[in-house]
């Protein structure tokens, strides 16, 4: 499902909300998650999962095309851990 499909599904299930309102709501939720992760905070949605940021240390890498060594900078990457309810639903019979 892509963002526009999510917005359409929510709008269809909530006829009292306009399409523009649903777009604003979904956009705000995503922005808050991004803002929290940018601060290094963890975002937990019970039953769905938790978003967090992991730090990858600088390391010596290798260019696969030439085999030359390259220095890879330290970086932060997003990480998602599924919640129990989501895992259980995915693994049902």
């Amino acid at each position: 499902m892509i963002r526009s499909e999510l917005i359409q599904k929510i709008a269809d299930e909530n006829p009292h909300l306009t399409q523009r309102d649903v777009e604003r709501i979904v956009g705000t939720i995503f922005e808050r998650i991004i803002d929290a992760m940018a601060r290094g905070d963890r975002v937990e949605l019970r039953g769905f999962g938790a978003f967090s940021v992991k730090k990858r240390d600088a390391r010596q890498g290798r260019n696969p095309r030439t085999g030359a060594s390259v220095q890879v900078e330290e970086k932060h990457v997003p990480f998602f851990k599924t919640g129990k309810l989501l895992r259980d639903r995915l693994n049902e019979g």
Side-chain angles (χ1 to χ4, degrees), residues 11 14-24:
N14 295 279
H16 61 284
L17 296 173
T18 66
Q19 182 87 11
R20 185 174 297 243
D21 288 340
V22 174
E23 288 174 12
R24 200 171 307 133

Side-chain angles (χ1 to χ4, degrees), residues 17-74:
L17 296 173
T18 66
Q19 182 87 11
R20 185 174 297 243
D21 288 340
V22 174
E23 288 174 12
R24 200 171 307 133
I25 291 166
V26 170
T28 300
I29 291 169
F30 288 156
E31 281 299 316
R32 295 302 169 259
I33 291 171
I34 292 167
D35 291 345
M37 290 179 69
R39 290 190 309 267
D41 294 341
R42 181 173 185 262
V43 177
E44 182 177 335
L45 304 172
R46 294 282 166 123
F48 182 71
F51 298 92
S52 60
V53 178
K54 293 203 175 210
K55 179 182 164 202
R56 297 250 169 98
D57 293 329
R59 62 184 172 82
Q60 194 68 27
R62 186 180 66 82
N63 181 330
R65 188 173 293 176
T66 64
S69 292
V70 291
Q71 184 61 31
V72 178
E73 301 289 323
E74 164 187 293

Side-chain angles (χ1 to χ4, degrees), residues 59-89:
R59 62 184 172 82
Q60 194 68 27
R62 186 180 66 82
N63 181 330
R65 188 173 293 176
T66 64
S69 292
V70 291
Q71 184 61 31
V72 178
E73 301 289 323
E74 164 187 293
K75 60 184 167 184
H76 294 85
V77 294
F79 179 75
F80 178 74
K81 181 176 180 185
T82 58
K84 184 178 182 331
L85 179 63
L86 177 58
R87 264 192 320 274
D88 290 348
R89 293 269 307 266

